[in-house]
Amino acid sequence: MMVKRPLVSVVDDSESVRESLPDLLTELGYSVRVFSSAQEFITSDCVGDTRCLILDIHMPGMTGPDLQRELTVRRQAIPIIFVTAQCDETVRTRLREQGAVDCLFKPFSDAALCEALNAAFRVS
């Protein structure tokens, strides 16, 4: 019997993130889909299957927090791990207060990502 691996969707406009994260996430036992924009994700057929969302904060068009609000409006409760190159603790605190599981500053360690994923799957 084949066990279905939980889907983690990565939404980041950085090509390097979209290329590097899937390998690590696959090694950790997850299915992975990558998207270059929030709009691409929200119009995909993956929204309902996504069990965790790794989401960049600053992207052209719809930002990560914009996508978080849109998912809330649609009543799509997906645990979110934000990632950002902007090292600002006030942003991290605000995003957590708004329901994010975590906010990791780029570049983040594999261990920090694993810890955030474990927290996300405890929430879901």
Side-chain angles (χ1 to χ4, degrees), residues 57-58 65 82 84 86-98 100 103 105:
I57 293 176
H58 301 288
F82 279 105
T84 183
Q86 179 185 352
C87 295
D88 184 341
E89 284 297 332
T90 59
V91 170
R92 174 186 271 172
T93 300
R94 181 173 35 87
L95 290 170
R96 285 180 174 167
E97 287 171 353
Q98 293 172 349
C103 179
F105 299 134

Side-chain angles (χ1 to χ4, degrees), residues 8-123:
V8 175
S9 291
V10 177
V11 181
D12 200 307
D13 62 325
S14 168
E15 187 174 345
S16 63
V17 172
R18 292 193 316 271
E19 289 178 353
S20 62
L21 271 184
D23 292 339
L24 173 61
L25 292 167
T26 300
E27 282 180 32
L28 294 172
Y30 300 104
S31 294
V32 183
R33 288 284 307 267
V34 295
F35 302 90
S36 61
S37 71
Q39 189 63 40
E40 184 183 354
F41 171 75
I42 202 74
T43 59
S44 76
D45 60 356
C46 291
V47 176
D49 294 329
T50 297
R51 296 294 162 250
C52 180
L53 186 57
I54 298 176
L55 181 57
D56 191 12
I57 293 176
H58 301 288
M59 294 181 287
M62 183 185 282
T63 67
D66 290 342
L67 176 56
Q68 181 184 35
R69 284 187 289 278
E70 179 63 24
L71 291 170
T72 299
V73 167
R74 294 180 181 205
R75 297 178 187 222
Q76 296 285 150
I78 303 171
I80 296 174
I81 300 168
F82 279 105
V83 294
T84 183
Q86 179 185 352
C87 295
D88 184 341
E89 284 297 332
T90 59
V91 170
R92 174 186 271 172
T93 300
R94 181 173 35 87
L95 290 170
R96 285 180 174 167
E97 287 171 353
Q98 293 172 349
V101 172
D102 207 344
C103 179
L104 304 177
F105 299 134
K106 297 176 187 177
F108 47 84
S109 68
D110 293 356
L113 180 60
C114 286
E115 190 175 310
L117 285 164
N118 288 337
F121 282 97
R122 281 193 299 272
V123 168

